[in-house]
Amino acid sequence: MFSILIAARNEAAALPQLLRDLAAQTLPAAQFEVLIADDHSTDATAALVAAAAAASAFSLRLIALPAAETGKKAALQAALKAARAPWLVCTDADCRLGPGWLAAYAALIYQKPAVNFISGPVLLTGPDTLFAQLMGLEFAGLVGVGAACLVRQQPTMCNGANLAYRRATFEAVGGFADNAHLASGDDEFLLHKIHAAFPGTAHFLADGAAVVHTAAPPTLRALLRQRVRWASKWRHYQSPASRRLALLVLGANVALAVGAGAGLVWPALWPWVLAAWALKLGGDVWFMAPVLRFLGRRKWLPLLPLLQVLYAPYALGVGVAGLRGGYEWKGRTVK
């Protein structure tokens, strides 16, 4: 039923945990296969997968990229060519999965036979520090917004660490063909194309068993690199909903920062400035409370005021850096 596609580059340390999670799936091993595409790793990734394949209860294959091909999209495309199932499920090599992960996908496909694309929930994990909790809270907001937009059938964002799509639908919309030159966006560009070609067939998998855990960036520098990589694809969006959302988020946070600056110059404006901040915070609390409850992280909710203060300069800086283009990923400089 499922071909699980995983792009891996220098993931020898993380893959054993992922393979154990896949072996523990409640869905019978005969109903899925796993294809790991090695993106020219310089560690023991290839040897580890080859050894695991010899003893695996499920079908596990190593796909090696040709010398001329690099990057996540090329890796996924190579794995897809070797895949045998009608449904393609994507996750990352450094993710952790619950035993009901695949069964949750199967249940949604059974409930909605016309579905073509499924976006799953992702939770950031890390040490119990203030920095890690703020990262997790911000990421939970992205997951919540992506889910809400899918419910309204105006899809904007999803995450390649947890999604699935029909192989036939992927081929019908041309796969990655028109954005293969962009290193990022293997997830969201595909979501937008499938929605445009088959409206109403993209759904969010609102099942706690489907939550994928992924490690938070360990440092502020790593976080900014990741977010700039994500932001680098914004200017290439063709989806009106995604463009509107990007402008709304950036505009709202910049407006709050400008208002605070105006209050310092003209103190009489402070009641209006504080009212605007309170209105924004109230909306965030109303939206985020059920999202955090679903993810089991209600304890992060009190951090929303601090995140709101920090988010304006953060969003503006990441947005400008993303427009400029160029970032480092997996030891490679990408333009």
Side-chain angles (χ1 to χ4, degrees), residues 230-244:
W230 293 356
S232 68
K233 59 179 179 278
W234 290 352
R235 65 186 187 276
H236 301 285
Y237 280 153
Q238 300 299 317
S239 165
S242 297
R243 289 180 171 180
R244 288 194 300 267

Side-chain angles (χ1 to χ4, degrees), residues 100-210:
W101 178 61
L102 281 177
Y105 273 104
L108 181 60
I109 293 168
Y110 178 78
Q111 293 166 8
K112 299 181 182 293
V115 65
N116 280 310
F117 186 102
I118 303 172
S119 171
V122 181
L123 174 67
L124 278 192
T125 58
D128 194 22
T129 63
L130 178 61
F131 177 60
Q133 290 180 38
L134 286 171
M135 280 193 293
L137 178 60
E138 185 246 356
F139 192 86
L142 299 178
V143 171
V145 169
C149 291
L150 274 169
V151 169
R152 293 179 58 84
Q153 283 305 309
Q154 297 185 36
T156 54
M157 63 180 76
C158 58
N159 194 291
N162 194 12
L163 58 83
Y165 45 87
R166 289 186 191 272
R167 181 193 187 113
T169 305
F170 177 87
E171 294 169 350
V173 300
F176 304 133
D178 56 348
N179 54 72
H181 61 292
L182 302 174
S184 186
D186 55 282
D187 42 18
E188 292 177 1
F189 289 131
L190 183 60
L191 168 61
H192 301 161
K193 290 168 63 175
I194 290 177
H195 173 70
F198 303 95
T201 64
H203 295 276
F204 182 76
L205 182 51
D207 187 331

Side-chain angles (χ1 to χ4, degrees), residues 143-329:
V143 171
V145 169
C149 291
L150 274 169
V151 169
R152 293 179 58 84
Q153 283 305 309
Q154 297 185 36
T156 54
M157 63 180 76
C158 58
N159 194 291
N162 194 12
L163 58 83
Y165 45 87
R166 289 186 191 272
R167 181 193 187 113
T169 305
F170 177 87
E171 294 169 350
V173 300
F176 304 133
D178 56 348
N179 54 72
H181 61 292
L182 302 174
S184 186
D186 55 282
D187 42 18
E188 292 177 1
F189 289 131
L190 183 60
L191 168 61
H192 301 161
K193 290 168 63 175
I194 290 177
H195 173 70
F198 303 95
T201 64
H203 295 276
F204 182 76
L205 182 51
D207 187 331
V211 176
V212 163
H213 294 71
T214 186
T219 64
L220 178 61
R221 181 182 178 87
L223 171 68
L224 293 176
R225 282 182 175 177
Q226 182 191 67
R227 296 303 196 264
V228 169
R229 173 164 58 90
W230 293 356
S232 68
K233 59 179 179 278
W234 290 352
R235 65 186 187 276
H236 301 285
Y237 280 153
Q238 300 299 317
S239 165
S242 297
R243 289 180 171 180
R244 288 194 300 267
L245 178 64
L247 290 174
L248 174 64
V249 172
L250 186 60
N253 285 282
V254 170
L256 291 178
V258 170
L264 295 175
V265 178
W266 299 289
L269 294 177
W270 272 115
W272 298 100
V273 172
L274 293 176
W277 279 75
L279 184 63
K280 169 70 162 54
L281 180 59
D284 287 347
V285 171
W286 171 81
F287 179 78
M288 288 300 299
V291 174
L292 294 176
R293 183 169 60 249
F294 169 74
L295 294 172
R297 293 297 186 273
R298 283 292 301 272
K299 65 178 183 179
W300 290 348
L301 196 61
L303 295 176
L304 269 175
L306 177 59
L307 181 63
Q308 180 164 295
V309 171
L310 298 174
Y311 201 80
Y314 161 80
L316 182 60
V318 168
V320 170
L323 290 173
R324 184 185 63 188
Y327 55 87
E328 184 177 316
W329 183 74

